[in-house]
Amino acid sequence: TASLNRRRYSLLDQLLITHEMSDTESVNSHSRPEWLKGDPEESTPMAGGPANPSPPSPGAQSVNGEHWLLRFQHHAGVLSHILALMAVCIVSLWVSDEAMGGGGVSWAEGDAKKVFNWHPVMMIVAFAFMTVSSLAFFMRWRSADRKVNKTLHVVQWTVAATCASIGLVAVFKSHNDAASGFIANLYSLHSWIGIAVILLYVAQFLAGALSFALNIQRITPSTRAKAMNLHKFFGPTIYIASAFTILLGIQEKEGFIGCSYKVDQADTFPLRHFSEIPRACRISHSLGIIVFIMALCTTFALYDFSGVPVHRPRRE
């Protein structure tokens, strides 16, 4: 009887183990939706995609095993890098226009308008570095060594913070220039939102440095994992908020320049008056559009579509 009972318990244990393995395989096979699966032997980790794709699903992947959505995410990341360079070039062209305080930049007393021009230049450069840094872990050309990617991520965000600091100092210096005439500070919506974004940026930077860059023994792995979730949320949030703040700043500056044109009848076809819009405003419009598209592309490249089903189940 004892021998028979041992055999029964042995068979029961084997059934339980087999059942657990089956459940594990089932969870792993359904952890990523069928429509986003690719061939693990052919596909390359891409922006927003997993490092180890799930087994292929017939008809769900493209010819080389990569789902079209992952390919678009990678292309969006590449486009963001190109747009970042274009934005830096266009803002340089913008501040060189005669309407921008005579054109050019300066740091001299009594030349407040040209001192102010450092503000849009530095903020756009900071946003460009934020774009590159945000995509540091997702592009194909990233290093295989995660430590290298982390180092580049920190360096790029540090450069962005330095440029933003210079841009912020330029505003206060130009507004508090006695030789040029004092101007009020922090009176616009752009400035209020900008200060809020800077505070979030500093908090994000410090939290990231304390949780991931520095090896602090008191921070447990579970705490670090929770901090990573918050870091991933606030990173794109701050990036989008920065783009929104830049657009507010461009709009505010255009109000000082004056972008309208005179009409003596109903303006039913504004496009024919395009050439009448001041050159500085056409440049700033282009800069704003580029920043807007860059924010969309970067956000799309960073988004994780792994948990999105292709079809929602119908309610009975």
Side-chain angles (χ1 to χ4, degrees):
T1 303
S3 175
L4 181 60
N5 288 335
R6 283 196 298 270
R7 291 181 59 188
R8 287 177 178 176
Y9 286 130
S10 176
L11 289 173
L12 181 60
D13 290 340
Q14 291 180 8
L15 288 173
L16 288 173
I17 292 172
T18 304
H19 180 69
E20 290 177 356
M21 292 177 63
S22 176
D23 287 345
T24 303
E25 292 175 357
S26 177
V27 169
N28 290 336
S29 64
H30 292 85
S31 60
R32 191 162 178 80
E34 293 292 331
W35 63 276
L36 205 53
K37 292 178 181 178
D39 189 346
E41 295 182 358
E42 297 180 358
S43 63
T44 304
M46 305 198 40
N52 298 309
S54 302
S57 173
Q61 68 274 7
S62 60
V63 177
N64 66 346
E66 296 170 351
H67 188 272
W68 62 269
L69 189 58
L70 300 182
R71 294 172 64 86
F72 276 161
Q73 284 187 280
H74 176 72
H75 296 328
V78 174
L79 181 58
S80 291
H81 284 75
I82 297 173
L83 292 174
L85 181 59
M86 290 178 60
V88 173
C89 294
I90 290 180
V91 74
S92 301
L93 180 64
W94 186 35
V95 299
S96 300
D97 192 272
E98 186 70 21
M100 296 290 287
V105 293
S106 174
W107 204 257
E109 296 290 337
D111 207 359
K113 291 184 178 180
K114 292 185 179 180
V115 172
F116 177 85
N117 285 347
W118 279 112
H119 178 68
V121 171
M122 288 294 101
M123 291 305 182
I124 290 295
V125 172
F127 188 69
F129 272 97
M130 287 176 65
T131 300
V132 175
S133 179
S134 298
L135 297 169
F137 294 99
F138 298 92
M139 303 308 297
R140 279 180 172 177
W141 54 73
R142 68 187 183 276
S143 172
D145 188 346
R146 185 169 178 81
K147 290 183 178 179
V148 174
N149 293 324
K150 289 177 67 176
T151 301
L152 289 174
H153 185 69
V154 173
V155 170
Q156 290 160 353
W157 276 89
T158 303
V159 173
T162 302
C163 293
S165 299
I166 296 173
L168 191 62
V169 171
V171 174
F172 285 98
K173 179 177 173 60
S174 65
H175 285 196
N176 297 330
D177 188 347
S180 300
F182 297 120
I183 301 176
N185 288 304
L186 302 180
Y187 62 86
S188 66
L189 178 62
H190 165 67
S191 61
W192 287 21
I193 298 295
I195 293 298
V197 171
I198 289 174
L199 292 176
L200 286 174
Y201 188 103
V202 172
Q204 171 83 341
F205 187 89
L206 294 177
L210 294 174
S211 301
F212 314 115
L214 303 177
N215 187 18
I216 300 177
Q217 299 298 328
R218 293 184 179 181
I219 300 179
T220 63
S222 61
T223 302
R224 188 172 283 109
K226 293 176 182 178
M228 175 58 74
N229 289 330
L230 290 174
H231 196 70
K232 289 181 177 180
F233 168 77
F234 280 106
T237 300
I238 294 171
Y239 179 82
I240 295 172
S242 299
F244 175 70
T245 307
I246 289 173
L247 295 179
L248 281 177
I250 292 174
Q251 177 63 43
E252 183 179 341
K253 187 62 178 178
E254 287 183 345
F256 294 130
I257 296 174
C259 295
S260 183
Y261 49 84
K262 293 182 179 181
V263 293
D264 51 12
Q265 58 183 358
D267 191 9
T268 56
F269 190 60
L271 188 60
R272 64 184 174 186
H273 297 287
F274 177 79
S275 60
E276 299 177 33
I277 298 174
R279 177 176 178 272
C281 293
R282 295 200 301 269
I283 296 174
S284 58
H285 288 358
S286 303
L287 177 62
I289 292 172
I290 288 176
V291 169
F292 178 74
I293 297 175
M294 183 165 39
L296 287 179
C297 289
T298 303
T299 304
F300 177 74
L302 293 175
Y303 189 77
D304 182 11
F305 288 93
S306 60
V308 180
V310 65
H311 293 299
R312 293 184 178 181
R314 295 182 177 179
R315 293 183 180 180
E316 298 296 338

